[in-house]
């Protein structure tokens, strides 16, 4: 009994041409290939090649510069606002931890008034109140744009910013682990140090998970 062979990327163009020679409609062909794991953008590129050969002319295409600029704007702003509110949230937790477990050499004291506490966290609160809603709105705009343009999931701008964020988040988590282990080996662990390290781990790990999860829709399209 013959066994099926796994198609290589170069086989897609041949398959498309063979299917079109048998009169298979584009919609049915696209649906079939997507079900078999091919990205829609790659399928249409192959169809464009088929029609270019069949008609003797390359299909006209519009410049994607506007779309790319919009993608860059959305993803950069998403990255920046995420950085603003996560850093502010981390600093807010550090202040609260410092007040609960004061360092003897620190300027914080348990008797600090609520007004003084508010002055300590005012900047962090203002940053979170402004940056987080912007982050949510931009995230929804990105989701709407991806729904309208599925090929945007394969945007080079999106990939670069996502992987840059993953690298930064991974470095933060790695440094946090080194920082914690160094204190453990030196016998300098305190409750405050453990909590500070945990805050950094949760925030850095959360950012890493957020961007890693953002890669899955693009992977699912392949």
């Amino acid at each position: 009994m013959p066994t099926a062979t796994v198609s290589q990327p170069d086989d897609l163009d041949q398959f498309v041409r063979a299917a079109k020679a048998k009169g298979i409609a584009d919609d049915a062909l696209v649906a079939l290939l997507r079900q078999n794991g091919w990205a829609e953008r790659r399928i249409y590129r192959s169809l464009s090649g088929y029609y270019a050969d069949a008609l003797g002319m390359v299909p006209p295409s519009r410049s994607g510069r506007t779309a790319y600029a919009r993608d860059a704007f959305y993803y950069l702003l998403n990255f920046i606002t995420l950085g603003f509110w996560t850093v502010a949230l981390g600093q807010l937790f550090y202040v609260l931890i410092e007040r609960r477990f004061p360092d003897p050499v620190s300027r914080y004291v348990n008797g600090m008034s609520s007004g003084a506490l508010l002055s300590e966290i005012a900047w962090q609160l203002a940053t979170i109140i402004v940056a987080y809603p912007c982050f949510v709105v931009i995230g929804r705009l990105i989701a709407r744009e991806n729904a309208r343009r599925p090929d945007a999931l394969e945007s080079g701008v999106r990939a670069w910013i996502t992987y840059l964020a993953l690298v930064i988040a991974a470095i933060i988590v790695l440094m946090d682990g080194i920082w914690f282990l160094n204190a453990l080996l030196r016998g300098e662990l305190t409750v405050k140090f453990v909590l500070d390290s945990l805050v950094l781990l949760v925030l850095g790990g959360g950012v890493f998970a957020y961007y890693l999860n953002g890669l899955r829709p693009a992977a699912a399209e392949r």
Side-chain angles (χ1 to χ4, degrees):
M1 181 177 179
T3 57
T5 58
V6 178
S7 296
Q8 299 300 317
D10 292 341
D11 295 337
L12 178 61
D13 293 337
Q14 298 177 14
F15 182 85
V16 167
R17 282 165 171 72
K20 295 303 297 180
K22 295 295 184 180
I24 298 178
D26 291 350
D27 291 345
L29 184 57
V30 171
L32 174 64
L33 291 172
R34 287 195 63 183
Q35 186 177 2
N36 282 275
W38 288 97
E40 189 173 285
R41 185 175 184 179
R42 178 65 181 88
I43 299 169
Y44 281 114
R45 189 188 312 150
S46 184
L47 281 170
S48 294
Y50 165 78
Y51 283 114
D53 292 341
L55 300 175
M57 57 187 300
V58 178
S61 60
R62 295 180 60 188
S63 173
R65 292 180 180 177
T66 300
Y68 293 149
R70 183 167 55 247
D71 290 343
F73 172 75
Y74 283 157
Y75 285 109
L76 278 172
L77 202 54
N78 178 262
F79 177 71
I80 291 170
T81 53
L82 176 63
F84 265 74
W85 74 261
T86 51
V87 170
L89 184 62
Q91 292 175 342
L92 176 62
F93 276 115
Y94 292 151
V95 171
L96 296 177
I97 291 170
E98 181 69 37
R99 284 180 58 84
R100 180 64 181 83
F101 303 98
D103 190 332
V105 299
S106 172
R107 62 187 177 88
Y108 294 96
V109 293
N110 286 326
M112 184 176 290
S113 67
S114 59
L117 172 62
L118 183 59
S119 68
E120 288 289 334
I121 64 176
W123 178 263
Q124 289 79 8
L125 287 176
T127 302
I128 294 171
I129 291 171
V130 172
Y132 183 75
C134 292
F135 170 77
V136 173
V137 171
I138 295 165
R140 290 180 178 176
L141 290 175
I142 290 174
R144 187 173 65 183
E145 188 71 11
N146 289 340
R148 187 178 68 86
R149 294 170 44 232
D151 61 297
L153 291 171
E154 296 186 3
S155 167
V157 172
R158 175 181 183 273
W160 273 102
I161 294 178
T162 298
Y163 282 111
L164 175 62
L166 284 172
V167 169
I168 295 174
I171 291 174
I172 291 174
V173 173
L174 182 62
M175 292 301 298
D176 183 53
I178 295 173
W179 183 40
F180 183 87
L181 185 58
N182 175 67
L184 177 64
L185 294 175
R186 294 166 62 94
E188 298 176 354
L189 283 183
T190 63
V191 174
K192 176 182 177 302
F193 185 92
V194 172
L195 292 176
D196 285 347
S197 181
L198 183 62
V199 167
L200 189 60
L201 177 64
V202 170
L203 292 177
V207 171
F208 187 89
Y210 169 77
Y211 278 102
L212 186 64
N213 184 67
L215 290 175
R216 292 177 181 173
E221 291 290 327
R222 295 189 179 91

